[in-house]
Amino acid sequence: MKVLAIHGSARPNGNTEQLTQKALEGLDATHIHLRDYTIQPIDDLRHEPGGFQPVDDDNDKIVDMIFDHDVIVFSTPVYWYGMSGLMKDLVDRFSQNLRDERYDFKAELRKKKAYVICCGGDDPKIKALPLIQQFNYIFDFIDLEFGGYIIGKAVKPGEISEDNLANQQALELNKQLKQT
């Protein structure tokens, strides 16, 4: 089983990344950081003659990596009660991927399972739930099985080590993934 962690933080080695690393330790996991890629915002041409046009960015590389893995972990800090802008640009481009004639996006994703790991500072165990619901709706729409989520509480660098519940959940996810 191959795991792809898509990190949406602009900050290297932030709390969400640390929690994700714990969840995936010892697994065959590829980690990509969206801050190291160029994903252009969507130019929504789905209702225009000719539809979407090719975009010269790294979206296709990331889609290829998604297709090449069995489990996808969407790792994003909670920014203003939602996913990071880097992650949102990637997800918005799913609209274009769904209409890309080079592949059947939904058929490929139907073979995979997804998880969400996020961290926030303003009562995230409650206030990040709409973010989790948003991912749930996204996964449902694109036929991607939702395996679960972890919400960590942390603001300053390294604070995630103090969230015992999130760290325990990361260890449990790690164990679960190792058994599949």
Side-chain angles (χ1 to χ4, degrees), residues 83-100:
M83 67 183 76
S84 70
L86 293 168
M87 185 70 71
K88 185 69 168 83
D89 282 342
L90 177 68
V91 170
D92 282 349
R93 291 290 292 283
F94 287 174
S95 293
Q96 187 168 356
N97 301 139
L98 286 165
R99 289 163 178 80
D100 194 320

Side-chain angles (χ1 to χ4, degrees), residues 19-129:
L19 188 60
T20 302
Q21 292 282 3
K22 179 171 277 206
L24 302 181
E25 186 175 348
L27 293 163
D28 180 14
T30 302
H31 294 264
I32 63 169
H33 301 87
L34 294 177
R35 66 181 172 267
D36 297 332
Y37 292 82
T38 301
I39 304 294
Q40 296 297 326
I42 192 164
D43 188 6
D44 190 352
L45 301 171
R46 63 188 149 157
H47 301 295
E48 299 297 321
F52 287 105
Q53 299 301 308
V55 178
D56 185 21
D57 67 1
D58 295 321
N59 185 67
D60 288 351
K61 291 177 194 171
I62 294 172
V63 169
D64 289 342
M65 285 188 266
I66 289 171
F67 289 173
D68 191 43
H69 289 78
D70 306 300
V71 173
I72 313 303
V73 177
F74 292 85
S75 172
T76 180
V78 180
Y79 286 169
W80 291 102
Y81 311 99
M83 67 183 76
S84 70
L86 293 168
M87 185 70 71
K88 185 69 168 83
D89 282 342
L90 177 68
V91 170
D92 282 349
R93 291 290 292 283
F94 287 174
S95 293
Q96 187 168 356
N97 301 139
L98 286 165
R99 289 163 178 80
D100 194 320
E101 295 177 358
R102 294 175 294 170
Y103 41 72
D104 187 341
F105 195 65
K106 280 189 174 187
E108 287 295 326
L109 294 180
R110 201 171 290 125
K111 304 172 191 173
K112 312 199 180 297
K113 186 181 266 191
Y115 295 86
V116 175
I117 299 177
C118 63
C119 289
D122 184 16
D123 197 15
K125 307 288 186 187
I126 299 297
K127 294 182 179 180
L129 289 175

Side-chain angles (χ1 to χ4, degrees), residues 160-174:
I160 192 58
S161 65
E162 300 169 20
D163 186 335
N164 294 328
L165 177 60
N167 281 286
Q168 181 59 40
Q169 290 171 328
L171 292 173
E172 289 172 15
L173 177 57
N174 182 275

Side-chain angles (χ1 to χ4, degrees), residues 124-143:
K125 307 288 186 187
I126 299 297
K127 294 182 179 180
L129 289 175
L131 166 66
I132 300 302
Q133 189 63 55
Q134 180 183 29
F135 271 109
N136 188 38
Y137 290 141
I138 291 164
F139 298 157
D140 184 55
F141 188 82
I142 61 176
D143 290 341

